[in-house]
Amino acid sequence: MQKILVARGIFPDVIERLKQYFDVEWNDGDALPADELKRRLADKDGALTAGDPIDAATLAAAPRLRVVANMAVGYNNFEMAAFDAHNVLGTNTQDVLNETTADFGWALMMATARRIAESEHWLRAGEWKKWSFDSFLGTDLYGATLGVIGMGRIGQALARRAKGFNMQVLYHNRSRVAPEIEADLNAQYVSKEDLLRRADHVVLVLPYTAQSHHTIGAAELAQMKPSATLTNIARGGIVDDAALAVALRERRIAAAGLDVFEGEPAVHPDLLTVPNIVLTPHIASATEATRRAMANLAADNLIAGLGEGPRAGQPPSPINPQVLGKARS
Ligand code: 8YV
C-alpha cells in the first residue's frame, strides 16, 4: 500500500475513505513545524495539506512523494516551480467554496460598512446609555459602487450578489474577463487606481503571489475615498497591515474587514487597537457543508493522483496537470 500523510485535522470519515486505499499517517493536531513535516514526508507517496508550506527542500527530502493535495483553493504555500521540476502533482479545492466564500465576503463587507462589530463591543462594554441620532453612522451598500480586485470565480460570485443591492461594479484583474461575464455581472474593467478612487467598498479576492504582495499599501490607501471600506478575504500579505492600521487610526478610510493577515495566526498588534475594523480568523470557507466538500475533493485528488479509485490518473483539480504520468525526478 502507498503511504500518505494527512498533515492536519480533518473529518474522520474522510480519513476512513483514504484508509481504503492508503497506509495513512494522520497528524490530528496543530500544524507541524517545517522540520517535522519534512521528516514525516520523507517516506510518503502522497500528502494532504491545508496551507502547510511545501518547498523545494521538502520535495528534495521526500523522493517518493508524487502528489500533494491542498485543502484550499489558494496554493501560495506550494513552491510550484519545485513541484514542476520534480514532477510532483499539486492539487487544490477550487469551485466548491466559491459561494460560501462570496457569502462571507459580503457579510464581512456589510459588517464593516455598518460598524456591526464596533457597535457590539461598545454595547457589551455597557456604554449604551441612550439612543443618539449620530451613533455609529456607517456607509450604505445599496446603490453604492463596489470595487472588486481579483475577478476569478470567487470575485465573480461576489459581484453577482451586487445585483440585489443595485450596486455599480468596478473590477480590476490581471486580465479582462470575457465580455459575456462582464455583461452578466454588469461589471466595468478599470485600472487599479481608478477603482481605488471611485469605489465605496473595495474587496480583495486575488491570489497571493510575489506580484500581489502589498497590492494595498500606504499609497493605495491614500487613493481611496475617506468614506470607503476595504475587505480582504484573499490572503494576508496582499495588504500591508501596518499601513492599514495607520490609515484606519487616522480615518483616511472609514473601516476595514479582514479575514486574513500577514503572518497569521499572528495579527499585527496595531490592528487590534483600532476600533474601525472587523477581524475574523480565516473562516471565509468555514461552513460544515463546504469544509466537507473541500476535504472530500482533496481526498479525491489524492486518490486519483496516486493512481487509485474510479478516477485513477485523472484527479479533478490538478494545478500542474502537465506532470501527470511523468516519473518523479
Ligand atoms: C482554507 C482558503 O480553508 O481555500 C483557501 O484558499 O483560504 C481557505 O478556504 C484555508 O486556506 C486552509 O487551507
Side-chain angles (χ1 to χ4, degrees):
M1 247 188 182
Q2 299 185 86
K3 290 183 176 179
I4 65 161
L5 173 72
V6 178
R8 290 290 185 104
I10 193 174
F11 301 96
D13 50 276
V14 177
I15 296 290
E16 291 312 310
R17 269 188 70 207
L18 290 167
K19 280 185 178 166
Q20 291 171 22
Y21 303 100
F22 307 118
D23 178 354
V24 180
E25 183 178 313
W26 184 22
N27 168 47
D28 188 17
D30 293 338
L32 296 167
D35 281 2
E36 173 75 359
L37 182 62
K38 205 176 184 182
R39 193 183 62 70
R40 294 225 205 168
L41 287 175
D43 64 342
K44 300 298 184 297
D45 302 282
L48 195 152
T49 55
D52 310 86
I54 306 289
D55 61 7
T58 307
L59 293 182
R64 301 168 56 99
L65 195 66
R66 287 188 295 120
V67 182
V68 188
N70 207 33
M71 199 180 78
V73 61
Y75 52 86
N76 54 302
N77 54 312
F78 288 177
E79 191 177 329
M80 283 314 299
F83 275 65
D84 294 349
H86 286 290
N87 291 333
V88 175
L89 181 74
T91 68
N92 71 350
T93 58
Q94 65 184 34
D95 283 332
V96 292
L97 43 59
N98 294 348
E99 301 302 338
T100 296
T101 306
D103 276 355
F104 188 85
W106 207 267
L108 193 53
M109 175 172 63
M110 290 200 80
T112 301
R114 298 304 307 274
R115 306 176 68 174
I116 289 177
E118 187 184 352
S119 59
E120 194 204 353
H121 291 146
W122 181 83
L123 179 152
R124 282 180 188 269
E127 300 286 342
W128 192 20
K129 310 286 190 234
K130 61 176 176 57
W131 181 87
S132 165
F133 79 97
D134 60 353
S135 280
F136 296 103
L137 301 180
T139 39
D140 282 310
L141 271 89
Y142 192 87
T145 299
L146 174 67
V148 181
I149 303 186
M151 197 51 117
R153 296 176 182 85
I154 299 171
Q156 289 171 31
L158 194 106
R160 199 163 292 116
R161 284 159 174 72
K163 288 184 186 181
F165 284 73
N166 195 27
M167 293 175 97
Q168 183 186 7
V169 180
L170 308 176
Y171 80 97
H172 184 70
N173 198 44
R174 275 172 299 189
S175 51
R176 252 180 109 149
V177 299
E180 50 276 20
I181 298 177
E182 281 188 3
D184 175 42
L185 300 174
N186 198 16
Q188 189 191 345
Y189 181 76
V190 293
S191 67
K192 185 173 116 181
E193 294 68 29
D194 208 10
L195 183 146
L196 293 172
R197 273 192 294 107
R198 291 166 60 192
D200 297 306
H201 304 288
V202 176
V203 185
L204 305 172
V205 208
L206 65 167
Y208 182 70
T209 61
Q211 291 72 39
S212 68
H213 180 73
H214 286 187
T215 292
I216 302 292
E220 288 75 18
L221 291 160
Q223 289 168 354
M224 292 173 67
K225 297 181 186 181
S227 56
T229 72
L230 175 73
T231 300
N232 186 7
I233 54 165
R235 276 289 178 273
I238 291 175
V239 174
D240 178 342
D241 286 347
L244 177 62
V246 173
L248 289 169
R249 178 163 293 119
E250 297 180 356
R251 305 272 167 180
R252 285 195 232 138
I253 66 168
L258 302 180
D259 186 49
V260 287
F261 304 86
E262 285 188 293
E264 65 184 52
V267 175
H268 193 292
D270 294 352
L271 291 176
L272 298 171
T273 61
V274 289
N276 44 344
I277 193 164
V278 186
L279 305 164
T280 53
H282 202 148
I283 55 168
S285 68
T287 64
E288 166 88 22
T290 293
R291 283 283 164 85
R292 279 197 169 276
M294 290 166 72
N296 278 307
L297 180 52
D300 290 344
N301 276 313
L302 198 50
I303 294 165
L306 286 172
E308 301 286 349
R311 289 187 59 140
Q314 292 177 301
S317 46
I319 300 163
N320 54 343
Q322 72 276 12
V323 307
L324 278 167
K326 290 194 184 160
R328 169 66 211 259
S329 57

